[in-house]
Amino acid sequence: GLAGQVVGAYRLISPIGYGGMGTVWLAERNDGRFERKAAVKFLSAALVNREGGERFKREGSILGRLSHPNIAELLDAGVADAGQPYLVLEYVEGQPIDLYCDERKLDVRARVQLFLDVLGALAHAHSHLIVHRDIKPSNVLVNHEGQVKLLDFGIAKLLDDGANRAAETQLTQQAGGALTPAFAAPEQVSGGAVTVA
């Protein structure tokens, strides 16, 4: 397996997640500069073609433009020795927002406060013309300090300005079916234009 292997300045520890884009590993910085845990996200081998690579590069560029306390930070990006592109993300130790609220039996005021933090993160992304497109409880974690962290802009759509706004790119066509039906916006399900609205 990959456990123990080094990717950039990080040593892989154990797998922590699987998704449409690939696998996510818990890792720790190993170059001695400082100690930090991180999540290393590898692109699935099935997606390592031109379109898949472009999607992954776009995720990196999207996250790199976002800086907000409620959005998981992009720390690094690169290509592993085996040729797999990867992102190094802030590791968020927490629970999906619905489980966090239910286990603590939070009242309406506390739940609304967490929801407002999610909206603040989304408003920040929208101000950069970035749409997440897969907001669901498993992508909204709450850490032990009660801070919301929005994860996974893997199917985010970067809105083009000007004349390209109406043109669908190959990237958008391929990512078009990437949604979670129970949480998708009506326009996603119907195949309509996905905007910050």
Side-chain angles (χ1 to χ4, degrees), residues 39-96:
V40 177
K41 184 174 184 181
F42 289 99
L43 179 62
S44 167
L47 293 175
V48 183
N49 53 32
R50 192 177 63 78
E51 291 84 4
E54 287 303 311
R55 280 182 70 189
F56 205 71
K57 286 177 191 169
R58 177 164 288 196
E59 180 174 3
S61 69
I62 286 170
L63 286 169
R65 288 171 55 188
L66 299 179
S67 178
H68 189 278
N70 299 119
I71 296 177
E73 181 185 2
L74 174 67
L75 304 174
D76 199 3
V79 178
D81 292 341
Q84 270 192 305
Y86 66 86
L87 298 176
V88 181
L89 301 155
E90 171 186 356
Y91 174 59
V92 180
E93 203 166 351
Q95 292 179 288

Side-chain angles (χ1 to χ4, degrees), residues 157-170:
K157 178 183 177 185
L158 192 57
L159 299 181
D160 294 324
D161 282 332
N164 294 330
R165 186 174 295 144
E168 229 191 353
T169 63
Q170 178 72 28

